[in-house]
Amino acid sequence: MAEGRETTVGIRVISLEEVDSTNEYARRIASDVPEGTVVLAKRQTAGKGRKGRSWASPEGGIWMSVVLKPSGVDPRLVFVGALAVTDTLSDFGISSGIKWPNDVWAAGKKIAGILTEGKAGEYVVLGIGLNVNNPVPPELRWDAVSMMELTGTSLPLDRVLERLLFHLNGWYRVFRERPELVMAKVRERTFILGRIVKVVEDDNALIGRAVDVLDDGSLLLDVGGQLRRILYGDVSLRIV
Ligand code: BT5
């Protein structure tokens, strides 16, 4: 993508030492700030994932949320975050893939998580947690990884952030103009396709082969020869 074009994401950056959750903070101010405002914190005391899960956010990572004001709340915005993260990792020599619906994995572990929350007709907060130089919690050692662990060196956080904002801008622009191009790239970078996965939503579980990510963001699953469409939502997915 060409540098130096219109900036939306990062038009304003609010940098905090500590906050409960950048998503919560962004939601509190969303109605009063311009689209593209970024909330960034060194530490989160109550970083959150989906469904009340917690997100470990000690100093050294990128914990940020961007306030977007698209024409409608679109669940596919999560993929704008995922693509920007994979591009950023690639800028630092790390190859990664998207684990539908909201994770980025590198070297078989989770390196980033994305959480979108919105108020219909008003705003969408796109939250990104990316492990950079921070330690990952010991209990997640087998499931989580940081950029520092993968590169063997501590990385300049400001430079990582700059690349991330650049790619967010680029993908958000593509998303507004040609969302199907975003989905085509997501399909390319989704590493679970062709693999057997278990999808869990509340008390329901389905095991099948991940076949495709459709243009509306849903996952197509082959369950014993029958194709099932799994809507993006609060589903968890495990590779079997
Ligand atoms: C996510 O949820 O993956 C979305 C995480 C979004 C975090 C960002 S940080 C900035 C913004 N402000 C917030 O408060 N949140 C967003 P989910 O798919 O529900 O995954 C949560 C699970 O990931 C947890 O239950 C842990 O197993 C795991 N986890 C927690 N902290 C992690 C970390 N630092 N790195 C990798 N995995 C982690």
Side-chain angles (χ1 to χ4, degrees):
M1 268 166 278
E3 305 251 2
R5 291 185 54 187
E6 145 223 6
T7 298
T8 304
V9 180
I11 196 162
R12 189 166 149 196
V13 179
I14 300 173
S15 278
L16 308 166
E17 281 293 309
E18 188 173 286
V19 71
D20 49 353
S21 147
T22 56
N23 262 41
E24 286 300 316
Y25 189 101
R27 286 170 65 182
R28 294 195 283 267
I29 61 167
S31 309
D32 305 319
V33 294
E35 175 173 64
T37 300
V38 166
V39 179
L40 181 73
K42 281 195 182 153
R43 296 177 297 277
Q44 297 185 114
T45 53
K48 58 176 191 170
R50 297 171 303 155
K51 287 203 147 180
R53 288 189 279 265
S54 71
W55 182 260
S57 329
E59 197 160 336
I62 288 186
W63 323 125
M64 62 155 279
S65 303
V66 51
V67 176
L68 298 173
K69 302 193 173 178
S71 42
V73 173
D74 188 324
R76 296 174 302 176
L77 273 168
V78 72
F79 300 119
V80 167
L83 288 175
V85 169
T86 50
D87 275 345
T88 302
L89 290 169
S90 158
D91 289 342
F92 291 89
I94 297 171
S95 69
S96 63
I98 298 172
K99 179 169 161 281
W100 187 93
N102 69 314
D103 290 354
V104 175
W105 278 30
K109 295 178 180 183
K110 180 161 172 170
I111 194 164
I114 293 142
L115 176 67
T116 50
E117 301 180 280
K119 191 163 181 194
E122 282 193 39
Y123 63 82
V124 173
V125 167
L126 170 64
I128 299 179
L130 171 61
N131 297 320
V132 184
N133 302 321
N134 57 293
V136 297
E139 69 277 12
L140 294 177
R141 203 157 31 108
W142 306 110
D143 304 312
V145 73
S146 69
M147 292 176 75
M148 183 165 84
E149 259 178 86
L150 293 176
T151 57
T153 173
S154 147
L155 293 146
L157 260 193
D158 52 350
R159 181 87 188 118
V160 179
L161 177 69
E162 184 205 303
R163 296 313 296 164
L164 184 56
L165 295 183
F166 170 74
H167 292 302
L168 279 170
N169 252 307
W171 283 115
Y172 187 48
R173 190 169 58 237
V174 178
F175 178 79
R176 279 177 303 181
E177 287 163 14
R178 305 273 308 275
E180 72 281 6
L181 295 185
V182 167
M183 295 317 298
K185 194 54 90 178
V186 167
R187 210 165 284 130
E188 238 174 65
R189 295 188 186 171
T190 297
F191 67 89
I192 57 165
L193 296 184
R195 299 175 66 171
I196 304 295
V197 298
K198 181 175 180 182
V199 178
V200 183
E201 181 168 24
D202 299 325
D203 292 335
N204 303 315
L206 270 182
I207 294 183
R209 191 168 51 85
V211 177
D212 201 1
V213 179
L214 304 178
D215 270 351
D216 65 0
S218 58
L219 179 73
L220 198 61
L221 202 63
D222 179 338
V223 184
Q226 276 203 335
L227 289 180
R228 302 280 295 266
R229 206 171 125 238
I230 315 292
L231 290 181
Y232 174 85
D234 281 326
V235 297
S236 296
L237 180 145
R238 250 176 290 145
I239 296 160
V240 179

